[in-house]
Structures are given as structure tokens and as C-alpha cells.
Amino acid sequence: MTRFLPALCLLLASCAGSGPARAPGGEGPTIVSLNPCTDAILAEVAAPGQLLAISHYSKDPRASSMAPEDAAGFAATGGTVEEILALDPDVVVASTFLAPATRAALGDLGIEVVTFGMIADVESSLAQVRELAALAGNAGAGEALAARIERALAAAEPESGERVEALLWQPGGIVAGEQELVSDLLARTGFRNAAPARGLSQADFVALEDVVANPPKVLLVAGGERSQQHPALDRLPGMHRAAFDTQLLYCGGPTIIRAAERLAAIREAAL
């Protein structure tokens, strides 16, 4: 397939007509993001016109970490080489799971590819924000976003330092491991992750019967399975049950602000 790529590139360039898009003033590279987590960060740190497209995931409320009205302001791509070439970006930002063939094809066409892995804690997320802002040529915007995240976390800290036991019940009935960003957020907002004390680790399954037999102080329900909505959960004395949006589970950056605010509100309601 590689030998056909130059011809494909010429064909798409001729269809584009107006040539490559550039950010106003020509400062900073034009960018296409293929990752919903980097979509949300780049939407805040890139200059107008610099982020040419976000991933199609950010147009789906079930997978997006962006507000629908924010995602609506950007074009979206499914991540194919053809779509990316038609946009003619300087840089493609993707996850580390980007298909090797796609990465190789983009490299052959002279498009820089920068990949980011999963974020495990707040500090790693702040570093990612600053790295993406530097990539966009707008370090100041990265510092501003990082400051907003830090202020939100500080506001969500409990004054007493008390930690409330919480079990986070995720889609599929599984729990979060200690090396996940959401676990760090729980600790920073006044919770103690109940999973390790129960002998549970990353992605272990929790049955309804387990919750009923040993209810936590707070049950955070981030899934939609029938067992997670069972009426028996309403009859557990001393347990506070609260919904936790799945959009807040996996991404860092500006998502941390909304997650911290939600967790602080749940903690206050549970006390």
C-alpha cells in the first residue's frame, strides 16, 4: 500500500484546492487529534483555527470528555489516513494504541505523529497539559489550564482531612485500581477507595450480592447495568448512593475540574 500513498496524497491535495490550513498569524503547527482525552485539552490550549479536527469519539456523549457545545465547534475525523491527509495537518496527536500501519503511513507522508498514553494521576495529567500546550506553541494557555485544575482540586479538599470510604462501581460492574487517575481524584477529594481493603484490584468484578452483604459508606455508580440500579440498593442503611458520570472516569485535563466538583458535592451530601 505504501507505494500508492504519494499518488493518494497528490489526489487529496488537488481536491482540497485552497492548500493547507494554518492558524491565524501562522504561529504554531496545525493539529489533528485522534484521542478524546487530548481533544479536550487541545480545545483549550490551541489557538483559534489551529486544531483542525478532533476524534469522532468527542462527538459521542457516551465517549466524550467534552461538553457537546464545545465539541460542536470542531470538525471530527475517524482517524483514517485519507481523512487526515485531506486536512493536511502539521502534527497528529494520538494515543499509544494508534495502529502501527497508520503511524507508518503518516510518517512516510511527512506528518509528525505524537502519542500519549493513559494518565495515572493528577501530576501526570498536569504534565500532559503543559506538553500539549508546548506542542501547540502556547505554553501560557497550558499554565492557565493547569492553574485552574489546581484551584479546583484545592477547593474540593475536605477541611477536616477526613476520608470517607467509597466504592466506585464502573461500567461492567468493575472497580478502579489504585493506579488510575480516578483513584487519585478520590483521595484528593476526601474519599478512601474501598476496593483495596476488600481485596479488589484493577478491573475486578463486584456483584450486587457483594455490595448488599457489605455496603460501603458511599457507593459511586458509574455504570448502567441492571444490578447497579437494583431496588435493593435503596434499602441499605447507612449507605449513600450517587451517580458518577462515565465521562469523568478516564481523562485528565479540564475533565479533572468537573470530576473534582462532582466528588466534593457527593462527599458533602454523604456526611
Side-chain angles (χ1 to χ4, degrees), residues 151-159 188-190 259-261 263-264 267-268:
R151 286 196 298 270
L153 289 169
E157 288 180 4
E159 293 183 5
R188 289 171 181 263
T189 56
E261 292 171 348
L263 288 170
R267 185 194 69 236
E268 291 301 315

Side-chain angles (χ1 to χ4, degrees), residues 126-146:
L126 293 173
Q128 185 184 73
V129 165
R130 292 183 170 105
E131 188 173 350
L132 283 165
L135 176 67
N138 196 356
E143 291 303 324
L145 176 54

